[in-house]
Amino acid sequence: MATRVRPGSKRCAVIGGSGFLGRHLVEKLQDRGYSVSVFDLHQSYQLQGVTFHTGDLCDRQALLSALQGVSLVFHCASPAPASDDRALFERVNIRGTQTVIAACIEAGVQKLILTSSASVVFEGTDIKNGREDLPYARKPIDYYTATKIQQEKLVLEACDEQNGFLTAAIRPHGIFGPRDPQLVPILVDTARRGKMKFIIGDGKNLVDFTFVENVVHGHILAAECLRPDSPTCGKPYHITNDEPVRFWDFMSDVLVGLGYSAPRYHLPYTLVYGLALLLWLLTLVLRPVMSFKPTFTPMRVALAGTHHYYSCERAKEDLGYKPVVSLKDGIQRTVLSYPHLRHGA
Ligand SMILES: NC(=O)C1=CN([C@@H]2O[C@H](COP(=O)(O)OP(=O)(O)OC[C@H]3O[C@@H](n4cnc5c(N)ncnc54)[C@H](O)[C@@H]3O)[C@@H](O)[C@H]2O)C=CC1
Ligand SMILES: CC(C)=CCC[C@@H](C)[C@H]1CC[C@H]2C3=C(CC[C@]12C)[C@@]1(C)CCC(=O)C[C@@H]1CC3
């Protein structure tokens, strides 16, 4: 049954708050005077004043008890894209998000902010300065992205100003920063195995990489601007560093910062994409007898060899968004935060 939550209450919950983005969000919310609860499959750290609830977001009862008295919910939980598990993506990102919405309404939550992804409009071909009115990808690059599309639609369609349940979605792209378990560790692992020597394509493709604190800033602005009759209701927002960079320059800056060599030799995009596709098909065929995870999946090759950068104009206009950390400073802070990943460490 809906408990009436005091309007203006600063009690919020972060679903997925033990993860990379979630933890940065929890820390910033606490700095800004929010009282924060985390709901996640596991507790990965301790922070004074933060309450942890462990559970699966597909479990409505577990969610309900974590959401009592909460007025604002951030939903940034998802299985990792690399898990490549279609049934899991569908269970958590689609059916689990339906459960999150139902539990929020039942618990009297007033605002729900979803962490979506800019990739919901990406089909593996160039996007230059893409705005939010681009159509959802008809052929998403993988199952993860297909379920992020469904998830975003569910959350935005649930926005109900008349009944006081407001929603919005943040679409970040290429999040990086201290404690990121994905981008920098995968890059370093690839370099350590001697596979980061090649540039896919001509190396001139521009991409957005977004420092995690800017993504957090976008989420908090969206939550604070989301009010009845505000333009934010039921809308998605691209949040990036607003500094598109050559994909391979960004990779090189991180690698060189950590003491590895930058990739130098060019390979044609179509050749690498074709090989990655063949390898992926082979993993599908061989799955019943053996399992291996190729480094260069078709999805990663598409992300590495095409332009895909997005306009933040809508976020600037509606939310007053402006990145708080530049790309240069973000890379420097990230590199310094990984002493154990340095060459020779
Ligand atoms: N990392 C990136 O570059 C990008 C990430 N995103 C989105 O940002 C969000 C956060 O991503 P990251 O922090 O990078 O991932 P992460 O893997 O570090 O964090 C995800 C968290 O969700 C939790 N979780 C997963 N399934 C759950 C379940 N069934 N019930 C409860 N908790 C569950 C995990 O335990 C984990 O703590 C995700 O929604 C992701 O799709 C969007 C664009 C880019
Ligand atoms: C070619 C190679 C081995 C590059 C290493 C870096 C990649 C692991 C990252 C480069 C772009 C990243 C990215 C994501 C994951 C990590 C990369 C592929 C996402 C797929 C994460 C989830 C999303 O919602 C979209 C991201 C786009 C960029």
Side-chain angles (χ1 to χ4, degrees), residues 16 128 191 201 231 249 300 329:
K128 298 179 182 177
D249 285 355
R300 280 189 197 155
D329 290 352

Side-chain angles (χ1 to χ4, degrees), residues 15 18-21 28 43 69 89 115 140 152 173 175 192 207 221 228 250 257 273 278 318 336 343:
I15 304 176
S18 283
F20 163 50
L21 171 64
K28 181 55 81 183
Q43 177 173 354
F89 292 139
T115 314
E152 185 186 282
H173 193 269
I175 313 176
R192 284 183 173 164
V207 171
L221 285 176
F250 178 85
Y273 190 82
L278 267 180
D318 291 358
L336 288 175
H343 184 53

Side-chain angles (χ1 to χ4, degrees), residues 188-206:
V188 167
D189 179 58
T190 314
R192 284 183 173 164
R193 288 188 288 119
K195 290 186 178 174
M196 258 344 258
K197 294 190 170 58
F198 301 101
I199 293 173
I200 301 170
D202 64 8
K204 293 184 182 158
N205 55 305
L206 295 176

